[in-house]
Amino acid sequence: MPDKSELRALLSEAAERSIRYRENSVERRVAPAPEAVVAVERFVEPLPDSGSDDTDVLAMLDDIGSPATVTMTGPRYFGFVIGGSLPVTVATNWLTTAWDQNVGMHEVTPATATLERVAMDWMIDLFGLPKNAAASFVTGATVANFSALAAARNRVFADIGWNVEADGLIGAPPLTIIVSEETHPTVFKSLGLLGFGRNRVVKAAVDEQGRIDIGRFPDIGGPTIVCTQAGNVNTGAFDPVGEICELVKPKGAWVHVDGAFGLWAAASPDLEHLCDGFQAADSWATDAHKWLNVPYDCGVAFVRDNEALKSAMAITAEYLMTETESRNPSDFTPELSRRARGVDVWAALRSLGRQGTADMINRCCSNARRFAGALTEAGYEVLNDVVLNQVLVSFGDDATNRTIIDEIQREGTCWCGVTVWQGRTAMRISVCNWSTTTEDVDRSLDAILAIARQQNY
Ligand SMILES: Cc1ncc(COP(=O)(O)O)c(C=O)c1O
């Protein structure tokens, strides 16, 4: 057990090493050097019989681990849909970790439970969602989709007189799940976890941008859940959720929106038109660890019908303070015990404010357009309409694309991923980091174009 001065020395050393890492994150290679990746094998050892000095443990982590990290938090990481972490959220995350609160029950964690409630209310306001919607902080959009669809399952079955919480799905009346050909795989995973089955779905057709084609929407009859999307993971395109709601809500269907990153468009007056009519849906899932740039992990589920989410998630036990006037966070999440991840959201929004949040979203989109413009000008084909922060570019045939993308990742100036869009291999650029500047875009473009030209394309 360290005494006070050892505790101070250890935590100061951790802060110092973290600061050094973050200071270098603008200039360091994005992909780690191959020898650093090989060196992580030094972690692989038998469990030591006796313990080590805490500062040695920290040093080992930093000395071996830090060089082997991909600089996801830096301004030239454009892989998947990965935000960085705003400095304020790293700082408040450290303090929250030091508090080590289990935020399941309000009465025992009043500070963090209140901060989470404020953060939820702010997001409900930013996205224009119903004021009394239930919200819950979970690990990411995967679990946010799962949680919202669990609420959907309870409500839709309750409406036809079946208590799915009590009686499960065996022998339950049939229910139709409508997804699209472009629904994110995590929604299928959620459907599997919820007992619906990943494949027992009706697929709505999509257009060339991956949006549900409302003209070819399947007929609705009987109890139905419709899964829509705000922000296609490849193109950034939005399903016409407003129109879908108008079509299916009068027939009693539940409409869910997977807005892992796209829902943040609603926080920008310049982009909110993309989310027109989304507020008419019944549930929404998003991530804060993507576009709000808070540390991993942080997703959020919103459900219009408070009771539907609570009926799926709440538990009671004599030893738990479940009968309380206050809002117990664990009444709305799959977990009972968890970290207070909502504090990171509170810190980001408190620091950015409404305007700063909109600016951050707009900046990423404008940088995405800068990428698209320069790549088109250089003679390469941009495969999507760049409506948000995603750019798909093709340098030629599939093999050429893969060779160029591998080389871009290896070279280290920036990092972009590979995808297959409507049968064509392409490079995916996702601009999500708060700190990416136009200079970072230009520097990345220089590296990308030099590599593409080396391949004679
Ligand atoms: C549209 C969409 N839904 C869900 C997810 C899953 O999010 P997470 O990895 O945070 O669970 C993603 C991830 O990129 C996504 O783009």
Side-chain angles (χ1 to χ4, degrees):
M1 168 84 178
D3 64 22
K4 274 191 186 170
S5 72
E6 286 166 338
L7 177 69
R8 178 167 291 275
L10 178 67
L11 295 187
S12 303
E13 175 75 8
E16 194 44 53
R17 286 178 181 272
S18 308
I19 294 164
R20 218 179 297 143
Y21 181 83
R22 292 293 291 230
E23 280 174 344
N24 289 339
S25 66
V26 176
E27 284 314 317
R28 72 193 289 270
R29 290 173 53 84
V30 181
E35 52 281 13
V37 177
V38 170
V40 294
E41 283 302 309
R42 286 166 54 204
F43 284 133
V44 183
E45 57 178 352
L47 174 67
D49 286 332
S50 51
S52 310
D53 189 86
D54 290 349
T55 52
D56 291 344
V57 175
L58 178 67
M60 183 177 176
L61 177 67
D62 189 25
D63 296 345
I64 305 173
S66 294
T69 58
V70 175
T71 317
M72 289 185 172
T73 200
R76 292 184 306 283
Y77 185 81
F78 305 110
F80 310 101
V81 190
I82 303 269
S85 43
L86 291 155
V88 68
T89 64
V90 177
T92 53
N93 184 285
W94 286 347
L95 182 58
T96 319
T97 300
W99 290 349
D100 195 22
Q101 302 284 284
N102 177 345
V103 76
M105 285 170 291
H106 181 101
E107 273 184 53
V108 286
T109 56
T112 49
T114 303
L115 285 161
E116 286 204 342
R117 191 166 41 77
V118 172
M120 284 165 187
D121 288 346
W122 287 352
M123 282 186 290
I124 284 172
D125 177 22
L126 266 184
F127 301 147
L129 301 183
K131 285 214 167 5
N132 295 325
S136 56
F137 285 105
V138 292
T139 49
T142 303
V143 181
N145 281 326
F146 167 82
S147 303
L149 290 170
R153 188 181 71 158
N154 280 23
R155 168 54 55 222
V156 175
F157 274 121
D159 287 350
I160 49 170
W162 184 267
N163 183 343
V164 71
E165 270 311 308
D167 300 324
L169 285 173
I170 298 169
L175 182 146
T176 305
I177 312 270
I178 298 183
V179 295
S180 88
E181 288 163 356
E182 277 295 323
T183 293
H184 195 270
T186 56
V187 172
F188 292 100
K189 182 197 258 193
S190 301
L191 295 173
L193 291 170
L194 288 163
F196 287 131
R198 295 189 187 200
N199 297 338
R200 227 168 136 176
V201 292
V202 176
K203 285 196 179 170
V206 297
D207 66 14
E208 76 295 342
Q209 297 297 319
R211 294 171 294 221
I212 287 179
D213 180 349
I214 193 80
R216 291 185 286 159
F217 200 79
D219 285 338
I220 294 267
T224 305
I225 298 172
V226 181
C227 299
T228 65
Q229 185 164 251
N232 178 289
V233 75
N234 281 311
T235 63
F238 288 64
D239 285 337
V241 180
E243 288 174 68
I244 292 170
C245 287
E246 277 172 29
L247 189 69
V248 305
K249 299 259 313 167
K251 297 177 181 165
W254 177 293
V255 178
H256 171 67
V257 184
D258 174 5
F261 57 101
L263 204 56
W264 289 92
S268 155
D270 295 352
L271 298 165
E272 63 185 352
H273 61 276
L274 294 168
C275 295
D276 274 352
F278 278 49
Q279 293 74 7
D282 298 283
S283 57
W284 304 262
T286 195
D287 265 318
H289 60 216
K290 290 187 167 66
W291 221 348
L292 187 60
N293 280 257
V294 306
Y296 279 94
D297 46 31
C298 190
V300 201
F302 301 94
V303 179
R304 176 187 298 279
D305 180 339
N306 234 280
E307 275 309 308
L309 184 59
K310 199 167 175 182
S311 70
M313 300 297 168
I315 53 167
T316 54
E318 291 304 331
Y319 81 103
L320 297 173
M321 289 135 166
T322 44
E323 302 300 326
T324 160
E325 294 280 286
S326 319
R327 176 191 180 280
N328 263 343
S330 64
D331 282 350
F332 301 92
T333 55
E335 307 90 348
L336 174 58
S337 301
R338 66 177 174 85
R339 80 176 186 94
R341 51 176 68 88
V343 179
D344 301 342
V345 172
W346 168 83
L349 294 176
R350 187 74 176 76
S351 162
L352 292 169
R354 198 183 292 277
Q355 187 62 49
T357 307
D359 290 347
M360 179 173 73
I361 302 298
N362 290 340
R363 200 164 57 242
C364 291
C365 296
S366 137
N367 280 329
R369 291 194 297 273
R370 190 177 183 92
F371 266 119
L375 289 163
T376 308
E377 208 169 292
Y380 301 113
E381 189 183 359
V382 171
L383 303 183
N384 64 318
D385 291 345
V386 182
V387 292
L388 203 67
N389 61 335
Q390 305 289 119
V391 183
L392 299 178
V393 59
S394 170
F395 300 100
D397 62 25
D398 292 355
T400 304
N401 275 307
R402 286 188 189 274
T403 308
I404 291 174
I405 297 164
D406 281 350
E407 182 54 22
I408 289 166
Q409 293 176 357
R410 198 201 52 76
E411 190 264 350
T413 302
C414 64
W415 202 101
C416 305
V418 66
T419 193
V420 177
W421 176 244
Q422 296 184 338
R424 294 179 65 186
T425 302
M427 187 170 86
R428 259 178 101 253
I429 304 173
S430 177
V431 191
C432 289
N433 192 294
W434 66 277
S435 65
T436 304
T437 61
T438 50
E439 289 75 39
D440 288 309
V441 174
D442 293 346
R443 193 167 150 187
S444 303
L445 278 164
D446 286 347
I448 292 168
L449 294 177
I451 290 165
R453 284 175 187 140
Q454 256 169 30
Q455 298 297 322
N456 295 324
Y457 275 91

